[in-house]
Amino acid sequence: MSPFTIAHDVDEATALMADGACVVAGGTDLVVGHRQGKAPLPARLVAIDRITELTGIGPSDEAIEPGGLRIGSLVTHAELMTNDTIVGGYTALADGAALVGSPSTRAAGTIGGNVMNASPAMDTGAPLVVLGARFELASGNGRRIVGPLELWTGPGTTSASDDELLVACHLRARTARSGSAYVRLEYRRAMEIAVVGAAASVSLDDNDGVAAIRVALTAVGPTILEVHGLAELEGHRIDDQLLTDVADIARSTATPISDLRAGEAYRRHTVGVMAHRAVAAATARAWGDSVAVPVNRSVGIGASAPTSGGFE
Amino acid sequence: MTAVDIPRFIRADGPDKVTGSGRYAADLVLPGMLWAKFRYADHPHARIVSLDTTTARAMPGVLAVLTADSVPDVRYSAGVADRRLFARDVVRFEGEVVAAVAATTAEAAQAAAAAIDVVYEPLPAVVDPEAALAADSPLVHTDWESYDADSATVREGNVASFSSISLGDAQAAMADAHTVVTSRYEADASHAVPIEPRAVVAQWEGDKVTIWSSTQVPFDARAGVCQTLELPTNRVRIIVPHLGGGFGGKCGFHYEAHIAALARMAKRPVKLVFSRREEFLAPDRRREGMVVDITTGLDAEGNILARTGGLVIDNGAYIADAAFFPQIAAMHVAGPYRIPNLHIDSRLVYTNHQPSGSVRAPTAPQACWAVESHTDELARAAGLDPVEFRRRNIVTSGSVGPAGQTYDDIGLADCLEAAVDLIDYGDESQTDENAVADEAVGVAVGWWPSFPGASGAYVRIDDDGKGQIVTGAQECGTGAVMTLRQLAADELGLDPTDFEIVYQDTAAAPYDTGATGSQTLLNNGRAVVEASQQVAEQLKSLAAEKLEAAVGDIVLADGHASVAGTPTSSVTITELAAEAAGGELLLGHGSGTPGEYPELVGATCIGDHGVAAWASPQFSCHAVRIRLDRDTGVVRVLQVAAAHDSGTIINPMGALGQVHGGIMMGVGQALTEATIYDDQGRQRNPMLLEYKLQTAADAPEVTVQFIESGTPGQGPKGAKGLAEAPNVATAAAIANAVAKLVGRPVRQLPMTAERIWTAMQESDHGHDGERR
């Protein structure tokens, strides 16, 4: 059996995976991981980068996510950050994609690789959670749909079996008067990895109160964490008190560790700051204000501009 | 100086580097070439109980395995001969080489290196340089007394090198002071991080070896090979292909002898290419960690009366070139100030960390950060604006510096005024006192010596009138490929592009100390000028004969030799060159007399390595504007205004490049760059993902002004050095801006976002109380 096969469709790929081959698409994790000594290069690879079904951004299937958006697993970060539909309506994902690595990483790295690599520091993870993403997995036994928090089971581990291939991400249909944003703490403005991050999606009711709000956190737990307990905020107007409450709830959700990038206490504090800013930016977008992608460059993360305000 | 003022010509190595056609050491491929891999120490400190290479030698593709027993038993290093090519009996840091393998593929070499069976008895690791000073601390070198050492190096136990500088009576003056401020600052170790990890290729032909190496100092590297492999100088040739940066990290003698010894044993060419991880862990060129305790006494008017200081510098396991560090660090803790009473003790201390060695302005960025932070504390204590405090206390032309040197014509005061002008200093004080500002300006002054020394060059003009400069100078950002051609062209009335430059080859060129100590223009420039002048004299003689004029009346300009005042009486240099080709060739050689080091009056220097008396000192002032994200502690540097006295600026484009680059390194040192150790002395972040360099996206706006003072005794046309000086004061200036916003200094370097945030939390609970 060949150590390297180019698969032409999903069935061919999953058959090879069932036979022990490991998937490669953008290759931004596989080779780097090997060089860092994290994992040996697999004995057999199946290249999935030519499988048409895995490409493209378009409407989701009515049976999966009516009115929603389907993002093929081969879609790169560079596409995510510039696609009009994503920038216009699923903006948190564009915010996250725009912060990944360098231009070359973003051109090669795919959302599928990001999702299946299951790093708790992935920048697209928290946006996918707050945008209601679900993942379509294929194997020789058929297809199934799983949510992100079912898929991600720990740092670098998923509930997918070795022969399951991520075909696409399906995002919930965007509601009127909604917005989303992803904000992360970073020590430099390129080639950076999230120290902590937060994504938020907000929909407004007719009185400018919260109709729905979701917040998810990056790099403060073994997986991306969703912040629960926000339902009580529904109906409230979004003001500084609400943002402070969100920050506090986010801090109590986080289970950060101390490592090279930050200590536990600093992570817990700053993830609240990120949640505060993410909800503020998502709300501004829900109002129809223009907040450029990525939010990190527009509302002052890394002190590039005065910190956000104006939510009286 | 703005971009439009800069004369531009294409640097000789530019097209090669930009198009990718240039060859670096790692690109070289020789027939039959093998790959080298090292087996490193498995422990930061351990006794080698046994070392068995039997299995490794028998592995497929393996042609040579070397250990300490395979090479002459020679101990080396400048200052103190404290290390060998391969560890013998004891390993003292995690990146120490225990064995080397050459095999037909890199993978085979790696597998064989891993298969070498080493049994260790771990020893207690010495990881805290202050604790290492205790009488009961384990010794990193138990037999330190038996090592050969130069007479300047004062040693005792874990103290690898001690220096002190005393002037006047610091204790008595301190007792009389109106205000006394005591501060403590701690700087983490960091790295040079050249973008090209080092590579070495060695090939023997008979009893001669050619070594291609990514070294900044080929002549030093040659000396190391000759010493450790016991070879005469003329049998070792070091060639440096294009060099992908160095920043001091590639100074010194590193792996040239290991690879030459492997190639000799294997009877094949051998190549070593470091991974980024190896580049972080193994070379003896880390920027040293440092602890600075400093106390200064002021009179009622805010003049410095006295200063005492204690420095503890983390040397790591071997001394490399660091024996002079305590003295030069002490000079920086004194700083460019008039201090009539001074006493500083400075200790370079062995630990089981990677060895420290010269990285761009060794010890200066950290020591300047400490002393300039302290200076802002002094200003606050004296109730003076920090710039005004500096105006009162800095050294100026004619004043006596902290080690008793009288400075001639120097431009520090002008640098201070220029930098604060460029950044509009003081405008931020217009803001509402009650508003919490998130922007601030910080100012710091810095200095750095020039190092006169030996160098040599040949200059010739061939039969077509084109010139060649053969020089020992290096190009890793020194500007040699631009400035040396400019100097020769000026002497010979030709254009810089008329010259090719042959460089980075010990067999072709006379001795040069290499890309170290900001010395290329100062010393090699002098040599090129002298060699060019010899050729100029030859040309003038030929022209005088041809034009029937006196030699003294011949002028070389615009490609012509002409009679002064009679421009019609003229001959092209090309025509003269063609004539000379048939007779006495146009051939010059130069070395020149290095400038002299000044005298110190009244100071007592113990452990004197000659770096308290500064020849052609360079001065600088950096003023920065930063923004602080108060919720996270993240700092962004918005603007840096840099004023430099490096004497005459010969090549403005190269000079600006030095300043911009030094500032970017300084921003990294200030905010993000640190090597972090575990409690056993192992680096935790030997990788670019976790060792946070600054990126182009982080670069501040930089404005530069050169103060071209006429300091006596400088290099060609009045130039001093410039490569290291721009790296001295940036972190300090950023620190002073941070302290303004936080309300107290952040006493650890780098001032990471988390450290700044922590200091802000502590500020909310009152001042840090270091002042008395």
Side-chain angles (χ1 to χ4, degrees), chain B residues 714-735:
Chain B
Q714 345 72 327
K717 301 180 191 286
K720 310 185 206 178
L722 180 60
E724 291 163 294
N727 194 211
V728 175
T730 312
I734 293 169

Side-chain angles (χ1 to χ4, degrees), chain A residues 188-189 192 261 266 269, chain B residues 631-632 690 692-693 698:
Chain A
R188 60 183 177 190
R189 297 180 15 130
E192 185 60 302
R261 294 169 196 160
Y266 181 66
H269 166 75
Chain B
D631 294 333
T632 63
E690 307 293 359
K692 301 284 184 188
L693 293 173
D698 302 299

Side-chain angles (χ1 to χ4, degrees), chain B residues 409-424:
Chain B
D409 183 7
I410 60 171
L412 178 57
D414 290 341
C415 286
L416 176 62
E417 300 307 331
V420 300
D421 272 1
L422 285 172
I423 206 135
D424 294 328

Side-chain angles (χ1 to χ4, degrees), chain A:
Chain A
M1 194 151 322
S2 166
F4 181 80
T5 311
I6 297 170
H8 298 89
D9 56 39
V10 169
D11 289 346
E12 186 183 359
T14 54
L16 286 159
M17 290 166 73
D19 236 14
C22 181
V23 163
V24 62
T28 53
D29 287 308
L30 192 76
V31 176
V32 173
H34 166 65
R35 285 190 176 162
Q36 287 180 350
K38 280 187 192 163
L41 282 176
R44 291 172 51 219
L45 284 174
V46 50
I48 57 168
D49 58 314
R50 298 188 193 181
I51 302 177
T52 314
E53 191 190 342
L54 306 185
T55 63
I57 298 171
S60 179
D61 304 347
E62 283 301 306
I64 299 175
E65 200 60 80
L69 192 69
R70 177 193 185 277
I71 302 170
S73 60
L74 285 178
V75 169
T76 64
H77 296 96
E79 290 173 80
L80 290 174
M81 64 184 272
T82 53
N83 178 275
D84 288 344
T85 307
I86 291 176
V87 172
Y90 302 86
T91 327
L93 190 54
D95 286 331
L99 294 177
V100 171
S102 65
S104 56
T105 330
R106 294 193 290 268
T110 63
I111 188 157
N114 225 204
V115 168
M116 297 309 284
N117 212 37
S119 163
M122 69 164 123
D123 287 307
T124 55
L128 286 169
V129 170
V130 301
L131 294 169
R134 291 187 300 151
F135 304 124
E136 181 182 353
L137 298 173
S139 73
N141 300 322
R143 299 203 176 192
R144 64 181 180 123
I145 303 285
V146 297
L149 304 177
E150 296 164 71
L151 180 70
W152 299 320
T153 52
T157 61
T158 68
S159 59
S161 57
D162 288 346
D163 64 342
E164 279 188 305
L165 177 68
L166 177 67
V167 175
C169 308
H170 296 269
L171 305 187
R172 192 162 299 163
R174 187 194 173 207
T175 57
R177 303 199 73 211
S178 67
S180 66
Y182 173 70
V183 187
R184 78 172 187 197
L185 177 65
E186 54 189 4
Y187 298 145
R188 60 183 177 190
R189 297 180 15 130
M191 302 298 291
E192 185 60 302
I193 190 161
V195 184
V196 298
S201 67
V202 172
S203 346
L204 302 176
D205 62 25
D206 294 340
N207 303 315
D208 275 355
V210 174
I213 179 169
R214 293 184 78 173
V215 174
L217 310 177
T218 309
V220 286
T223 64
I224 301 292
L225 300 181
E226 174 150 22
V227 178
H228 297 292
L230 300 178
E232 65 196 51
L233 303 176
E234 285 170 15
H236 290 262
R237 284 180 64 88
I238 297 177
D239 54 15
D240 281 337
Q241 184 57 50
L242 183 140
L243 296 175
T244 304
D245 290 347
V246 168
D248 288 344
I249 299 169
R251 288 184 182 115
S252 63
T253 303
T255 57
I257 56 166
S258 291
D259 65 11
L260 280 168
R261 294 169 196 160
E264 185 267 340
Y266 181 66
R267 271 207 166 94
R268 190 179 294 282
H269 166 75
T270 50
V271 82
V273 176
M274 297 305 118
H276 183 292
R277 292 178 182 181
V279 173
T283 305
R285 284 172 174 160
W287 283 341
D289 294 352
S290 172
V291 181
V293 170
V295 173
N296 269 39
R297 300 288 171 270
S298 8
V299 300
I301 311 310
S304 55
T307 49
S308 56
F311 289 93
E312 281 78 33

